[in-house]
Amino acid sequence: PKEPSGSLSADSIKIKKEVANAFVKRQKRSSLYERYFEYYKSPMEQMHERCENYPPCDYLSDQIGFSLAYNRFFG
């Protein structure tokens, strides 16, 4: 139903909870252990990111492997 001003009323745009849950998912709670690893990266992951952010290292890692490329530029 339209209001006199020409816009839709709030009641006409509501959807059922079951329909809303089909496309809006809540993030499940994680354990303290999982939350810790979301915020703190492992040293190996930090090394990978450092190499990926430096284009020559990233390119070379595709050619000869990550460990050799990382040691060549940062080792």
Side-chain angles (χ1 to χ4, degrees), residues 7 23 42 56-57 61 65:
S7 64
F23 62 90
S42 69
C57 182
S61 70

Side-chain angles (χ1 to χ4, degrees), residues 51-52 56-67 69-70 73:
C51 187
E52 288 172 356
C57 182
D58 189 33
Y59 177 77
L60 193 61
S61 70
D62 291 338
Q63 307 300 317
I64 63 172
F66 166 73
S67 60
Y70 186 86
F73 290 101

Side-chain angles (χ1 to χ4, degrees), residues 45 47-55 57-58 61 66 74:
E45 188 174 354
M47 290 167 55
H48 272 279
E49 287 184 356
R50 186 175 181 194
C51 187
E52 288 172 356
N53 289 333
Y54 186 58
C57 182
D58 189 33
S61 70
F66 166 73
F74 304 109

Side-chain angles (χ1 to χ4, degrees), residues 2-20:
K2 289 192 174 187
E3 292 181 357
S5 63
S7 64
L8 295 173
S9 68
D11 293 333
S12 67
I13 59 172
K14 290 183 181 178
I15 59 174
K16 294 180 182 179
K17 185 173 25 172
E18 295 80 21
V19 175

Side-chain angles (χ1 to χ4, degrees), residues 34-43 45-46:
E34 291 170 342
R35 286 187 205 149
Y36 173 82
F37 282 104
E38 277 183 25
Y39 295 111
Y40 301 102
K41 296 177 183 172
S42 69
E45 188 174 354
Q46 291 174 356

